[in-house]
Amino acid sequence: MTDDTARIAGVEAVPDDSTLLFTVRDPDGEPTEALLTRLGDGTVVAYRNVCPHWTDVPLDRGEGALVRNGEVVCQKHGATFQLDTGYCDFGPCQGSTLGTLDVRVEDGAVLLAEEGYRFDHLGGHGADSNGTAGGRIDFTGS
């Protein structure tokens, strides 16, 4: 699988101190947001762009998720998720795990390897990707 429906981005575009937001289509054609990040050893991982605590809350609001000390932080309520496993080790959803999408690196490119899914575009899938999550107040007070 090396066609345009599989290639997400070049490896050099995937940050190791933030995330790269992209949209895929599931087997039914529905859009699903996901994020890529690069681990310290160069491994690229992909997670669905939702917090398990409030599934309408994106981790990456379109400008890269907050990443610190090897963890992605949900800015809505401060939960932290280990980048290498997606495991939540702090916050109201402690013990849960981020949903993954299979990706692989080939010839300097990150390819979508999730069965039945196809890459759609970089960025979020529309108005719901701005992180507003209704009228909820986030961790930062806004």
Side-chain angles (χ1 to χ4, degrees):
M1 185 192 315
T2 58
D3 59 24
D4 288 339
T5 64
R7 186 181 192 284
I8 300 169
V11 172
E12 73 283 349
V14 180
D16 59 6
D17 60 351
S18 186
T19 59
L20 179 66
L21 180 64
F22 66 102
T23 299
V24 296
R25 296 282 172 168
D26 70 15
D28 295 324
E30 294 298 315
T32 299
E33 286 187 7
L35 53 89
L36 290 173
T37 193
R38 199 166 13 152
L39 305 179
D41 66 359
T43 302
V44 176
V45 295
Y47 295 107
R48 294 176 189 274
N49 188 32
V50 296
C51 179
H53 180 58
W54 290 333
T55 58
D56 62 333
V57 173
L59 297 170
D60 184 331
R61 299 176 182 188
E63 298 176 359
L66 174 61
V67 172
R68 73 172 174 237
N69 301 324
E71 296 181 318
V72 64
V73 179
C74 177
Q75 294 184 66
K76 205 60 151 169
H77 50 73
T80 57
F81 303 88
Q82 298 170 4
L83 285 181
D84 58 344
T85 63
Y87 179 79
C88 180
D89 55 14
F90 174 81
C93 47
Q94 186 170 353
S96 64
T97 304
L98 296 174
T100 61
L101 286 174
D102 288 333
V103 294
R104 72 176 187 277
V105 174
E106 186 176 294
D107 297 327
V110 180
L111 305 175
L112 181 64
E114 185 74 24
E115 187 69 32
Y117 284 68
R118 67 178 173 82
F119 173 72
D120 196 67
H121 63 274
L122 290 176
H125 72 270
D128 293 338
S129 65
N130 65 4
T132 58
R136 294 186 184 153
I137 297 173
D138 69 13
F139 186 65
T140 61
S142 58

